Amino acid sequence: MNIAMPRNAFPLVVTGIAFAFLGLFLVYPLFRIFGASFLDASGTTLTLHNYAKVVSSAFYRNSVVNSLTISALATVATTLITAPFAFALARLPIAGKTALTSLTVLPLVLPSFVSAYALVLLFGHAGAVTHALESVGIGIGSIYGTPGIVLVYVLTLYPYVLLPTVAGLKALDVSVEEASRNLGSSRWRSFWTVTFPIVIPSILSGALLVLIETLENFGVPFVLAEDKPIMAVEAFKLFVGETDTNPASAGVLGVLLVCMTTFAVVIQRRYLGRRRFATGAKRSPPLIAVGPGWRVLASIYCWAIVLISLVPFFAVIVISFMEYRGPVLHPHFSLDNYAELFRRSIRPLENTLLLSTLAAFGAAALGVPIGYVITRYRSRLSAVLDVVATMPFAVAGTILAIGLVISYNSGWLVLTGGWLILVLAYVVRKLPYTVRASSAILHQIDPSLEEASINLGVSPLATFARLMIPLMLGGIVGGMVLTWVAVASELSATVVLYSGQWQTLTVVMFQALEGSGAGLAAATAALLIFFTVIPVALVYRLLRRYEMSLL
Amino acid sequence: MTTVTIDRVGRSFGSVQAVREVSLEIRDGEFFTLLGPSGCGKTTLLRMIAGFCELDAGSIAFGGRRIDNLPAHRRNTGMVFQNYAIFPNLTVGGNVAYGLHARNVPAAAIADRVANALKLVHLDGYDTRWPHQLSGGQLQRVAIARALVIEPEVLLLDEPLSNLDAKLRVEMRGEIRQLQQSLGITAIYVTHDQEEALAISDRIAVMRGGALEQVDRPDAIYRESATPFVAEFMGVTNLFSGTITRRDGARAVIQAGTTEFYVEGSVSGGPGRQAGDDTIVFCIRPEAIRVIGPGETVPAGWATVDAQVSRVEFLGALTRIETQLADGKLLRVALLDQPLATLASGQPLTLAYDPRRVTGFAAA
């Protein structure tokens, strides 16, 4: 029987703190963006002029159209390529399945703009492969613009579709398939009439995550879009370039972008609710026996996707040990790039490590109690908290950062220019990770344990601290590592908020993209890859044990 | 010392009224069982006493002291959960000591009391074991020790035996009863198993749809059920409705279909029952009916009815027979094991019963 815990002070305190924090650093900044979009340049008069200006400008109209087109293409392509992969992984005897499964986690933690950057280093105007091919007289098409961006999205975001679909397929009660066969359907017909419809919600749920992620993404289009306007990038450029008191045009793009992603998040949440409807199974469905031909074909298909997606990262690491003379890459292997990187300053690395650590602890300190209250104390208030704590998903990093700058660069609380505003932005953005990590573990801990503790005389707050935190510890650590890794490769908010000495590795890369320091950028990227892969590899087993959703 | 007074307590979840206007007085040292089908409100009521569910109306008091406004951790109840709720991160000893730590009991006293509590549940020497090393029955004992060691005012048990296998269940319920009696503690026990309730309780409250249906001693609940629901819930029975056609001394003669039944003694009258309203519902337990073999005489004062065997079910100690009356009505009979090889489907039987063992209810 599922009966809500009675009212006590603990959930109210947690809810209060959470609302205060998210109100100050998420809702208020968004409100300021919203306000900015309806005010004139001086920030005093209400007007619709800004919207008229953006709508009447072909350039900004195109940025909306381009963003939507690219996201739609990337979502459809990712889904079409990944759905068969998921089915093969769940139901066919693929060679090296365990290794394959572990490798599919990597694209989730590796920074996607590094993949984009690698593509430029290899196939760009001055790319290594482009050069090599030109020297033998072969020209390749441009990888800039829509094709390159969509390609990077597919290669880096396919796990968003893969993981929920595999989970859905594994949760399928095989007896429904057997019932279908028993009633006279062929295997093929059973798949299309029974198996596929049951996992559709899982596939769509993942596809919507891809849609949200591509709409928000700043780094990939920044690297690959060239002259093509993209909303998240243009909002940033407008904000940096706008000289008026009120960042009106950036506000308009921000509002439009938040509306689109919110719409996608709302639909995604609806599907998430239904995601468990296939879980009647006590054991995963058995593998389907296929001939060696199919087996080889399916194995090649799966491995190809995974390996191709990792090629850019591998290339970046190799390039980081090579020497650039002007734009030309020379096959001399040395540590020169790294020496140069550290000779300049070790500060960015220190900053990345420090800020990620602070953000991981901050997100855990706030997110774990929120996850606990949402899961254990169901009420109308905690339902609202659940929605608010998911909101950061729908807000592009660039837009949140712009909102934070507008809100806190003057007045009673000035945060701009320091490290704190970066940490606050990270905690807000990655809060959903720790909230969901904590509720994922709680779903595996029987609620009567807490009741037993309370019944024995320990107050709800002390029960949470003394009993639940130790029980949840493995999952909390997993969630913190994910947050740490995500923050280390965060670019979109950082690039708006960093100042002077608070450059991070991603900012160094970002700056190198425009300059000529390709070797330096590659070394920075390699460092970033190292610092994201190692922690995740260390806690990989922990994450799997707690069946922690990485999405 | 600790009586539990539940006064007009109510609670609804949305449109569902889980508990409605329940009033109970549970005596000191009593083993009191809340019995009913799932969704009848028995668990909700128990959780209200423990403090895990809020009251919409009414009050609960321990020994005259109102407790429903206290937070759960200050109520000093010991609860045994259906799934044991043993803390997996603590040893057996750590689990039992948990509530004592919360009460700031000195370390030396904790060691003594934990050892005593474990001895009480026959787990002496298990204090350094981990929960995952124990069987279900042992975990259950740890849960009981953990609840008793804090010397609670009231022991609350929420279907504590439902996860054990049948044989262990019978064994454990005896132990729980014995432990409760030797400690003289007030215990409130929730179950949906009527046999379990009959076996261990001083008194039983049968609940239905959030309200009390009957509160009484086990034998009274079984033999003198207050409502047809209780009669049916407490075990297999024969439930008929009929019309009182005449009175024959202390007996009422009831026409049910084409069969006449005799009822002696009072007929429980509902509040809506009026003179001249002669429709009644009555029940007779299968084991109160006897088969009269050829040459046997009907006991004095008993009534008889003719029936035909339709099905025989051999259960070992008991044989259940389904018979058909002349108008097709089903009448169940239960007999203690005896050589009945001659019983076969279609065979005519003469059945006898004592009219004093027929319970009548006011028609609904």
Side-chain angles (χ1 to χ4, degrees):
Chain A
M1 210 183 291
N2 195 355
I3 299 170
M5 294 254 228
R7 283 181 288 277
N8 68 53
F10 174 58
L12 289 178
V13 169
V14 171
T15 310
I17 293 174
F19 278 144
F21 182 85
L22 291 170
L24 276 176
F25 303 116
L26 175 68
V27 178
Y28 179 64
L30 287 180
F31 171 75
R32 286 296 299 265
I33 297 238
F34 189 71
S37 74
F38 285 104
L39 293 172
D40 67 357
S42 63
T44 47
T45 321
L46 263 175
T47 175
L48 283 172
H49 175 71
N50 307 320
Y51 283 88
K53 203 170 85 186
V54 167
V55 170
S56 66
S57 146
F59 184 76
Y60 293 119
R61 274 206 313 274
N62 280 340
S63 79
V64 176
V65 173
N66 289 340
S67 283
L68 286 175
T69 312
I70 289 176
S71 292
L73 281 174
T75 306
V76 171
T78 309
T79 310
L80 290 182
I81 290 172
T82 315
F85 180 8
F87 183 76
L89 197 59
R91 299 295 299 274
L92 295 179
I94 302 291
K97 195 174 272 188
T98 317
L100 197 65
T101 310
S102 317
L103 288 177
T104 56
V105 178
L106 285 180
L108 282 175
V109 298
L110 288 167
S112 58
F113 68 92
V114 167
S115 178
Y117 182 60
L119 214 59
V120 171
L121 290 179
L122 294 175
F123 302 103
H125 297 313
V129 177
T130 318
H131 261 284
L133 290 177
E134 270 172 4
S135 63
V136 295
I138 303 171
I140 52 166
S142 168
I143 49 108
Y144 295 95
T146 310
I149 298 176
V150 170
L151 176 66
V152 171
Y153 283 154
V154 171
L155 291 183
T156 55
L157 298 178
Y158 76 86
Y160 283 70
V161 177
L162 182 75
L163 298 187
T165 309
V166 168
L169 282 165
K170 287 203 166 161
L172 183 91
D173 187 347
V174 73
S175 58
V176 298
E177 272 181 12
E178 288 166 355
S180 166
R181 300 287 304 280
N182 176 259
L183 294 169
S185 291
S186 68
R187 177 157 269 166
W188 187 242
R189 195 184 139 81
S190 298
F191 174 79
W192 287 110
T193 55
V194 176
T195 315
F196 185 64
I198 289 178
V199 291
I200 279 181
S202 306
I203 299 176
L204 286 184
S205 160
L208 280 158
L209 281 174
V210 173
L211 187 69
I212 296 159
E213 197 61 33
T214 53
L215 278 172
E216 289 182 2
N217 198 302
F218 169 81
V220 174
F222 189 86
V223 175
L224 284 171
E226 282 211 313
D227 301 332
K228 215 177 179 64
I230 303 290
M231 286 178 83
V233 177
E234 293 316 318
F236 168 73
K237 286 183 178 165
L238 273 174
F239 179 69
V240 175
E242 240 162 342
T243 44
D244 296 320
T245 328
N246 182 39
S249 302
V252 173
L253 283 188
V255 169
L256 292 179
L257 189 53
V258 169
C259 286
M260 287 183 212
T261 45
T262 305
F263 183 65
V265 167
V266 169
I267 297 176
Q268 206 266 351
R269 282 250 114 185
R270 292 259 164 108
Y271 272 109
L272 265 183
R274 277 213 278 153
R275 212 159 119 182
R276 281 175 177 258
F277 93 123
T279 58
K282 290 199 174 67
R283 59 191 168 88
S284 299
L287 296 182
I288 297 167
V290 289
W294 278 107
R295 196 191 145 159
V296 169
L297 215 60
S299 299
I300 290 175
Y301 181 75
C302 297
W303 275 102
I305 294 176
V306 171
L307 291 180
I308 291 173
S309 76
L310 295 177
V311 162
F313 298 101
F314 188 68
V316 163
I317 294 173
V318 172
I319 290 172
S320 75
F321 291 105
M322 289 164 81
E323 186 189 345
Y324 268 97
R325 280 182 209 146
V328 185
L329 196 59
H330 282 264
H332 299 291
F333 290 90
S334 71
L335 290 170
D336 288 355
N337 292 324
Y338 291 92
E340 170 69 8
L341 182 68
F342 289 120
R343 193 187 54 74
R344 284 193 178 189
S345 170
I346 201 166
R347 241 341 252 279
L349 174 61
E350 288 172 353
N351 287 344
T352 292
L353 298 181
L354 176 71
L355 294 175
S356 303
T357 307
L358 285 175
F361 277 100
L366 196 63
V368 171
I370 293 178
Y372 183 72
V373 168
I374 288 173
T375 316
R376 287 294 200 251
Y377 293 88
R378 300 227 180 102
S379 70
R380 248 179 238 134
L381 195 64
S382 66
V384 175
L385 182 61
D386 193 8
V387 172
V388 176
T390 318
M391 260 173 65
F393 252 144
V395 181
T398 332
I399 308 304
L400 174 70
I402 293 173
L404 283 170
V405 171
I406 310 177
S407 308
Y408 300 110
N409 65 348
S410 63
W412 62 277
L413 183 61
V414 178
L415 295 169
T416 45
W419 58 272
L420 185 59
I421 196 164
L422 283 164
V423 171
L424 288 172
Y426 296 152
V427 171
V428 170
R429 288 210 70 198
K430 305 307 172 194
L431 196 61
Y433 279 102
T434 47
V435 170
R436 276 171 323 148
S438 119
S439 66
I441 324 151
L442 280 167
H443 282 302
Q444 298 175 41
I445 300 175
D446 197 301
S448 57
L449 286 182
E450 285 125 281
E451 291 180 354
S453 166
I454 293 169
N455 177 258
L456 291 168
V458 180
S459 72
L461 177 63
T463 295
F464 175 70
R466 274 193 249 148
L467 179 70
M468 296 315 287
I469 296 274
L471 287 177
M472 295 164 71
L473 198 59
I476 294 173
V477 170
M480 281 175 70
V481 169
L482 288 182
T483 309
W484 196 95
V485 163
V487 170
S489 48
E490 212 278 354
L491 175 67
S492 55
T494 316
V495 83
V496 177
L497 295 171
Y498 85 94
S499 59
Q501 53 177 335
W502 290 104
Q503 288 188 5
T504 62
L505 287 180
T506 53
V507 172
V508 171
M509 264 204 73
F510 175 76
Q511 289 171 339
L513 290 178
E514 295 180 309
S516 58
L520 208 62
T524 316
L527 216 55
L528 208 51
I529 293 171
F530 176 80
F531 278 107
T532 48
V533 171
I534 297 301
V536 170
L538 287 177
V539 297
Y540 179 70
R541 295 180 60 160
L542 205 62
L543 297 176
R544 288 205 77 83
R545 174 146 62 94
Y546 286 93
E547 291 169 17
M548 201 174 294
S549 147
L550 291 144
L551 305 181
Chain B
M1 295 149 284
T2 307
T3 56
V4 179
T5 312
I6 297 167
D7 187 25
R8 282 164 296 160
V9 156
R11 174 70 203 242
S12 52
F13 298 106
S15 61
V16 183
Q17 187 109 45
V19 174
R20 49 182 101 202
E21 286 263 329
V22 169
S23 293
L24 279 172
E25 181 82 31
I26 297 163
R27 295 166 201 140
D28 179 36
E30 187 171 34
F31 199 112
F32 193 90
T33 297
L34 300 171
L35 174 68
S38 64
C40 72
K42 57 190 190 299
T43 297
T44 306
L45 188 58
L46 189 80
R47 291 171 60 86
M48 285 171 157
I49 299 168
F52 295 124
C53 178
E54 301 214 352
L55 283 65
D56 286 341
S59 66
I60 302 173
F62 290 169
R65 190 170 46 89
R66 191 169 168 182
I67 55 101
D68 59 89
N69 42 15
L70 284 179
H73 64 283
R74 301 237 192 83
R75 293 200 183 179
N76 202 25
T77 61
M79 184 147 170
V80 179
F81 293 82
Q82 186 170 3
N83 49 10
Y84 324 134
I86 297 300
F87 307 129
N89 55 330
L90 299 176
T91 59
V92 168
N95 265 280
V96 178
Y98 192 89
L100 298 175
H101 285 298
R103 286 166 174 70
N104 294 319
V105 176
I110 287 183
D112 276 355
R113 285 171 68 175
V114 168
N116 283 337
L118 285 175
K119 192 179 287 177
L120 217 51
V121 296
H122 311 300
L123 283 179
D124 338 29
Y126 273 70
D127 55 338
T128 55
R129 301 266 191 115
W130 289 94
H132 62 86
Q133 300 171 310
L134 303 189
S135 67
Q138 288 171 325
L139 287 172
Q140 187 61 83
R141 288 164 200 266
V142 176
I144 293 169
R146 186 178 68 180
L148 287 175
V149 78
I150 59 170
E151 293 170 3
E153 292 191 65
V154 182
L155 183 63
L156 305 173
L157 304 110
D158 184 9
E159 309 216 15
L161 304 180
S162 56
N163 283 348
L164 301 176
D165 65 61
K167 196 156 170 258
L168 199 54
R169 204 150 56 210
V170 173
E171 204 177 295
M172 279 300 291
R173 77 184 185 206
E175 278 190 43
I176 290 177
R177 173 60 165 161
Q178 203 185 2
L179 208 53
Q180 180 267 342
Q181 281 188 317
S182 66
L183 297 172
I185 190 172
T186 311
I188 304 177
Y189 189 98
V190 161
T191 183
H192 63 265
D193 181 335
Q194 94 281 356
E195 188 189 299
E196 203 169 285
L198 291 172
I200 55 177
S201 313
D202 290 317
R203 280 194 305 155
I204 298 172
V206 182
M207 292 184 72
R208 176 199 192 187
L212 295 177
E213 196 79 3
Q214 186 176 7
V215 183
D216 216 328
R217 296 184 323 278
D219 57 322
I221 294 253
Y222 184 80
R223 296 201 192 107
E224 295 146 40
S225 304
T227 65
F229 173 81
V230 175
E232 286 213 291
F233 190 77
M234 293 312 295
V236 182
T237 193
N238 295 294
L239 204 60
F240 298 113
S241 72
T243 323
I244 301 176
T245 48
R246 61 199 154 87
R247 304 259 172 192
D248 181 4
R251 295 177 173 191
V253 182
I254 303 167
Q255 189 74 36
T258 58
T259 319
E260 277 191 338
F261 283 95
Y262 294 84
V263 180
E264 196 170 316
S266 70
V267 170
S268 324
R273 189 171 170 79
Q274 289 164 8
D277 179 5
D278 288 338
T279 310
I280 74 160
V281 174
F282 60 97
C283 84
I284 177 161
R285 295 277 176 202
E287 69 277 9
I289 301 173
R290 206 181 277 180
V291 177
I292 304 299
E296 286 177 7
T297 51
V298 177
W302 286 43
T304 60
V305 47
D306 291 322
Q308 211 174 34
V309 176
S310 57
R311 212 161 72 86
V312 180
E313 202 178 67
F314 179 68
L315 297 174
L318 214 63
T319 301
R320 293 197 177 276
I321 308 161
E322 285 183 0
T323 68
Q324 238 174 2
L325 301 178
D327 58 0
K329 272 203 192 62
L330 174 71
L331 181 68
R332 298 184 186 86
V333 182
L335 305 169
L336 282 175
D337 189 31
Q338 46 188 284
L340 283 172
T342 54
L343 265 186
S345 202
Q347 184 181 335
L349 284 181
T350 302
L351 302 171
Y353 61 92
D354 186 344
R356 281 169 301 194
R357 294 204 57 186
V358 179
T359 314
F361 315 99

